[in-house]
Amino acid sequence: MSVLNTAQRNAVQELLRVSPVADELGRRFGAAGHELHLVGGSVRDALLGSLGDDLDFCTDARPERTLELVKGWADAIWETGREFGTIGIQKNGLRIEITTYRAESYDGVTRNPTVEYGDNLLDDLRRRDFTINAMAVSLPGHVFTDPYGGLEDLAAQLIRTPSRPEESFGDDPLRMLRAARFAAKLRFTVDPGVIAAMTAMAADLDRITAERIRDEFTKLLSGADPVGGLRLLVDTGLADRFLPELTGLKLEIDEHAQHKDVYEHTLIVVANAVRLEGEAGPDFILRMAALMHDVGKPATKAVGRDGRVSFHHHEVVGARLTKQRMRAMKFPKDVTSEVVQLVALHLRFYGYGRGEWTDSAVRRYVTDAAELLPRLHKLTRSDCTTRNKRKAAGLSADYDALEERIARIEAEEDLARVRPDLDGNAIMELLGVPPGPIVGQAWRYLKEMRLDRGPMPRDEAEAELLRWAREQGHTP
């Protein structure tokens, strides 16, 4: 047991005051002879003053008994986690998960946990990932239980395991990744003993499915301090198990081929992207593009006769590597496609400052980015990490000018919906052809004309189409 100070006791009481559902649920379980405790992240978040609408409970009741106790009381019930001992319910707008005391572990070979039910609260808390998630409040009695010092670790902003870290990570290797995720989410420090175990046991992460790793990594990158979490992944070797491209950014820098530290540059770009999100964040797609934007550099590094280092076409190679890695991590196709497109486009802007861009080039920039343009603006600005104040100011001014130019052309031409000046029906009517490949070829030709020259009068567009048709042998 641990003694709560006044502020902490008030935090728990406030949680219970605004959530009368918890006491009501506790009374239902108590009347049936069962224990019920608010537990884990719910207690942690209440103490941190950031409790949401999701509440986690644990009980000695088995899932089938829990179902009996909540039927007719809950507004909705779902049993998707029943095989793992969890019953989900909804009540008065709250999402509640009730889990039977567990002794969950891995057998060291398969990727799925073996679920064994426990019979007491202390053992259940011991098998949890970290001490800050191993606190409980009984219902309806409101007794606070903290057998592993979670309250002290919360005050010290420390991530530590209830049992030996080697034992905890042996039970579930994903907890190593969760340590980095909580470091990113809460800005907490990871206990040195935990870091040592993460480093020694990094290879055990290979026992975890790509989907579970993906989900934890997504939460890490979406945290308040993703850079801290990313550094921990690299320093412990965990990144090598599922995102080796990140560690690969640590290119050798020697006295004959100086270039900026790509790894450190990338972490700064991620931090810049987080800052530019504003109140709309976190934006995983933007953050992932910032993380992956230079992963093509190791494969494209070249040293010229003058000793200068170049990375020609690293954005093309980087886009390909990003696609491969995100596929391997089982990201949805639409998320992968958007990140890959941002990586492919992130270098396009750097020709603008030389004054070579025509209005046609601006139209293509906007059209290629499409709905990703706001993110591309942020990514490109985030990528400016030079310490040369004059150069940084110049790049910023150049991008300001580009955005102003885009705004001007958009006001004149509606760049968000660039289409040929003639649609498919008009093309078929003018050329006298049925639906088919010719119509698609003509449409693409007219779109290129539209991008090059801007909007054209209908008679001019028709004349261009007929000229193209004659050249292609499609004269009506």
Side-chain angles (χ1 to χ4, degrees), residues 6-167:
T6 301
Q8 291 154 346
R9 185 180 298 279
N10 288 343
V12 174
Q13 293 298 329
E14 177 64 11
L15 161 72
L16 299 174
R17 181 185 67 78
V18 300
S19 302
V21 168
D23 275 347
E24 187 177 343
L25 186 61
R27 284 191 290 270
R28 292 182 70 86
F29 274 73
H34 293 290
E35 299 177 2
L36 187 73
H37 302 268
L38 187 73
V39 72
S42 293
V43 176
R44 179 201 70 223
D45 290 344
L47 292 170
L48 291 173
S50 59
L51 184 70
D53 293 331
D54 294 340
L55 301 179
D56 294 324
F57 295 88
C58 66
T59 180
D60 61 339
R62 297 298 172 92
E64 57 274 12
R65 182 62 172 145
T66 295
L67 277 173
E68 294 175 1
L69 293 173
V70 299
K71 281 182 177 178
W73 177 81
D75 298 331
I77 299 174
W78 56 94
E79 301 181 43
T80 51
R82 183 172 180 172
E83 64 177 311
F84 299 109
T86 300
I87 300 298
I89 66 174
Q90 184 169 323
K91 180 70 174 181
N92 294 353
L94 296 173
R95 288 176 58 89
I96 296 170
E97 289 193 346
I98 307 169
T99 302
T100 303
Y101 294 151
R102 292 188 303 193
E104 180 182 282
S105 65
Y106 281 76
D107 60 13
V109 179
T110 64
R111 293 183 168 193
N112 295 314
T114 300
V115 176
E116 296 179 2
Y117 295 130
D119 56 13
N120 67 86
L121 175 63
L122 295 185
D123 285 347
D124 179 90
L125 294 178
R126 187 177 187 276
R127 59 150 290 278
R128 292 179 179 268
D129 51 7
F130 306 112
T131 59
I132 59 174
N133 296 330
M135 298 177 283
V137 176
S138 68
L139 298 166
H142 303 178
V143 176
F144 182 74
T145 302
D146 178 22
Y148 303 107
L151 192 60
E152 294 179 2
D153 289 344
L154 197 66
Q157 299 186 334
L158 182 68
I159 296 173
R160 191 170 56 85
T161 55
S163 59
R164 291 189 314 109
E166 294 81 3
E167 178 184 341

Side-chain angles (χ1 to χ4, degrees), residues 278-293:
E279 296 180 358
D283 184 344
F284 174 78
I285 290 172
L286 174 62
R287 295 185 184 197
M288 188 65 176
L291 182 65
M292 303 297 285
H293 80 286

